[in-house]
Amino acid sequence: VQLQASGGGLVQPGESLRLSCVVSGFNLDYYAIGWFRQAPGKEREGVSYISNTDGLTLYADSVKGRFTISRDTSKNTVYLQMHNLTPEDTAVYYCATVAALPGSAMRFSAWYPTNNWGQGTLVTVSS
């Protein structure tokens, strides 16, 4: 099981980026995927999740309305489209397999990473 994140870079505030997470060794039909980020000196936080069963998508409050998670099962890839980036979005972004507490999939806080992580891609938002 491997996940490989890419697409990070240096952008100015207000610009956009699209991150990609290519998975191999398993089928996206069987695993939910999440994006996480870790800013310098801060703890890792969940950003967005996408369910493998019904395509349910969830977002952290800090990115709602700006970020969109999607997946292309034919390419075994999950995307994170990020718009209107701010310096507060600067972080290393990781993708990982995720799961939700039973019966709680509608709650963002109920999701957690399982054991499979990508290597991270750095997003820097700076003028």
Side-chain angles (χ1 to χ4, degrees):
V1 174
Q2 287 189 325
L3 300 91
Q4 185 165 357
S6 63
L10 172 63
V11 296
Q12 294 189 345
E15 294 187 338
S16 301
L17 273 178
R18 189 179 76 162
L19 306 184
S20 299
C21 175
V22 179
V23 305
S24 58
F26 65 93
N27 192 302
L28 277 180
D29 287 337
Y30 300 106
Y31 287 87
I33 301 294
W35 283 97
F36 298 81
R37 67 186 182 186
Q38 187 165 20
K42 295 188 176 180
E43 293 188 354
R44 184 184 63 204
E45 62 176 355
V47 175
S48 183
Y49 311 124
I50 185 164
S51 167
N52 59 302
T53 54
D54 55 7
L56 173 70
T57 58
L58 301 104
Y59 300 91
D61 287 343
S62 59
V63 307
K64 272 181 188 175
R66 301 188 299 122
F67 290 12
T68 302
I69 191 170
S70 63
R71 62 179 188 162
D72 185 338
T73 54
S74 69
K75 296 181 179 179
N76 246 19
T77 301
V78 174
Y79 301 100
L80 186 69
Q81 178 68 55
M82 306 185 294
H83 293 298
N84 195 22
L85 286 161
T86 74
E88 289 68 38
D89 296 314
T90 295
V92 177
Y93 285 71
Y94 302 89
C95 56
T97 54
V98 294
L101 297 173
S104 302
M106 295 297 292
R107 285 194 294 117
F108 184 83
S109 60
W111 290 80
Y112 57 93
T114 55
N115 292 329
N116 305 301
W117 289 87
Q119 83 285 8
T121 185
L122 176 63
V123 173
T124 304
V125 185
S126 175
S127 55

